[in-house]
Amino acid sequence: MKIAIVGPIHEAGWEILKSHGLEVYEVTDPSPANLKKELSTASGMVLRTAKIPNEVLDACPDLKIIARHGVGYDNVDLDYLNKKNIALGITSTANAISVAEHVMTLFLHLTKNILLSDQLTRDGKFSEKSKLPNFFELYQKNVLILGFGRIGQAVAKRCLGFETNVYVYDPYIKPEIIKSKGCHPISKEEGLKIADYISIHLPLNDQTKNFISAAEFQDMKKNCIIVNTARGGIINEGDLANALQSQTIAAAGLDVFEEEPPQNNHPLFSLPNTLLTPHNAALSLECRRRMAIEACETVVHYLKDREKLNLSNLVNKDHLSI
Ligand SMILES: NC(=O)c1ccc[n+]([C@@H]2O[C@H](COP(=O)([O-])OP(=O)(O)OC[C@H]3O[C@@H](n4cnc5c(N)ncnc54)[C@H](O)[C@@H]3O)[C@@H](O)[C@H]2O)c1
């Protein structure tokens, strides 16, 4: 059986596939025309962030599983996968820690003026430190977490370590569970009003597209710092640029963009109160290795050893005839 690796992954994943006698090859050109050609005889696929249009799936008669190297799956059409009886895997245990650490990094960098301070030191302006804009403590500030799944909970834990007050908006999680983790359940509207920090951990879908737009920025405090490591499009980027320019909010940190990579003339690029990273929150060495191993194990177990399959990694288990 042939397994296509679409986008580079850690070698530990390749070793797992090969050790189970699977024929493994890498696909580097993610254009639909090339995917159709190179995936036409694949039984399985390990997928990074390339988009897989339905026409590509139509050209893959042998394909039985797509294992995402990550947890988001907005680059495939789940309904169509269900229709074609193709399993969809995710790496549910691999990346929460790395992404949560990235959120804390963005919070702290933006709060402590780290980039400006570094520049001032390098520019030989050491003694001008008191001219830098104010910076703050996280201590006893209000953090609002939108989405209390794997990553939202990992962020909450770290924020509690900084002795912040952690508020959570997630109507799908019982309030008792939120409270049992030391956090406070809150409505979206109330949360936006009291938050000093906001971190987004929602899936991107029809309900969450433009979840934070002009009206939401109007509700926020002027000192609010918002961070999005979930998916571009959950924050409306045009509205965010306006809110930052007009100082309706203080700052933003983004790891994800509506269009990736963003265009060179992206409106956020010229704003000093933003910190931007290239969708690499989950790309620490440890996390890349864990994601590669988990995705490849899902492929092996699905194709060859169902007993060992971790069912919580199979998104559409209830829709498959297996
Ligand atoms: N930047 C990166 O590299 C990176 C890495 C991993 C994951 N992600 C993204 O992070 C996000 C969260 O991942 P996760 O593993 O924590 O997902 P998850 O499925 O574990 O959690 C998502 C949470 O959002 C809640 N939710 C869904 N719709 C909601 C709504 N309309 N309002 C409020 N809450 C809602 C769900 O109840 C769930 O608790 C996803 O968008 C994922 O794609 C990004």
Side-chain angles (χ1 to χ4, degrees):
M1 280 189 275
K2 290 186 182 173
I3 309 299
I5 311 262
V6 183
I9 66 166
H10 192 280
E11 61 188 21
W14 285 76
E15 281 158 21
I16 288 172
L17 296 170
K18 285 193 207 153
S19 70
H20 285 83
L22 295 162
E23 193 183 321
V24 194
Y25 63 103
E26 186 167 354
V27 177
T28 51
D29 171 5
S31 66
N34 184 60
L35 290 173
K36 275 188 198 171
K37 197 168 62 181
E38 293 209 52
L39 299 174
S40 63
T41 55
S43 301
M45 182 197 315
V46 176
L47 176 65
R48 291 278 304 265
T49 50
K51 286 211 176 356
I52 306 293
N54 291 343
E55 56 176 300
V56 171
L57 299 175
D58 289 338
C60 307
D62 299 333
L63 191 64
K64 293 180 185 58
I65 179 159
I66 297 179
R68 271 281 295 119
H69 180 277
V71 291
Y73 45 84
D74 40 283
N75 51 342
V76 293
D77 177 345
L78 183 57
D79 290 337
Y80 205 64
L81 292 180
N82 291 341
K83 213 180 271 178
K84 298 198 83 84
N85 203 36
I86 297 171
L88 176 63
I90 55 168
T91 55
S92 67
T93 69
N95 53 17
I97 292 170
S98 266
V99 179
E101 288 186 358
H102 204 84
V103 171
M104 299 314 291
T105 306
L106 293 172
F107 275 173
L108 287 165
H109 257 76
L110 289 164
T111 305
K112 306 283 177 197
N113 286 336
I114 293 298
L115 288 183
L116 280 179
S117 301
D118 176 87
Q119 199 56 54
L120 182 122
T121 310
R122 287 170 198 268
D123 289 349
K125 297 179 180 166
F126 206 89
S127 52
E128 292 179 29
K129 57 190 161 201
S130 43
K131 291 187 187 159
L132 283 170
N134 284 333
F135 65 94
F136 300 92
E137 293 176 343
L138 264 74
Y139 178 64
Q140 289 192 345
K141 299 293 190 309
N142 295 335
V143 179
L144 172 66
I145 294 182
L146 300 171
F148 203 55
R150 292 168 290 250
I151 300 172
Q153 293 191 32
V155 171
K157 205 170 173 181
R158 282 150 185 81
C159 288
L160 289 169
F162 276 88
E163 299 182 73
T164 60
N165 310 311
V166 181
Y167 293 85
V168 170
Y169 171 66
D170 188 331
Y172 304 103
I173 303 281
K174 290 198 176 105
E176 308 86 78
I177 294 185
I178 294 171
K179 286 182 198 160
S180 75
K181 309 271 181 194
C183 307
H184 312 283
I186 197 163
S187 68
K188 179 182 174 188
E189 293 69 26
E190 281 308 305
L192 294 177
K193 280 183 200 152
I194 64 163
D196 301 297
Y197 295 86
I198 299 176
S199 191
I200 300 179
H201 303 291
L202 306 168
L204 174 65
N205 55 37
D206 291 345
Q207 281 82 50
T208 60
K209 183 140 184 68
N210 294 322
F211 198 79
I212 302 291
S213 300
E216 282 77 19
F217 288 119
Q218 285 305 327
D219 280 344
M220 292 177 197
K221 289 163 81 169
K222 272 195 172 326
N223 64 298
C224 186
I225 291 177
I226 187 164
V227 162
N228 185 12
T229 56
R231 280 292 180 268
I234 298 176
I235 296 185
N236 181 304
E237 280 171 14
D239 292 350
L240 173 64
N242 290 338
L244 289 165
Q245 228 150 13
S246 59
Q247 296 180 359
T248 304
I249 64 166
L254 299 188
D255 185 51
V256 288
F257 300 85
E258 280 170 12
E259 185 188 342
E260 295 188 0
Q263 301 284 334
N264 287 340
N265 60 352
H266 194 288
L268 293 174
F269 285 10
S270 56
L271 297 178
N273 46 352
T274 57
L275 200 50
L276 310 172
T277 55
H279 200 153
N280 65 350
L283 297 188
S284 66
L285 178 59
E286 295 90 338
C287 187
R288 276 190 288 129
R289 190 168 177 281
R290 281 196 301 265
M291 286 193 288
I293 291 173
E294 200 167 353
C296 293
E297 281 180 344
T298 299
V299 170
V300 168
H301 295 157
Y302 189 77
L303 294 177
K304 302 188 96 171
D305 198 355
R306 293 268 165 92
E307 298 263 287
K308 290 196 179 149
L309 194 61
N310 173 359
L311 284 177
S312 51
N313 274 345
L314 212 55
V315 175
N316 54 350
K317 54 182 174 295
D318 298 334
H319 297 270
L320 298 170
S321 41
I322 51 176

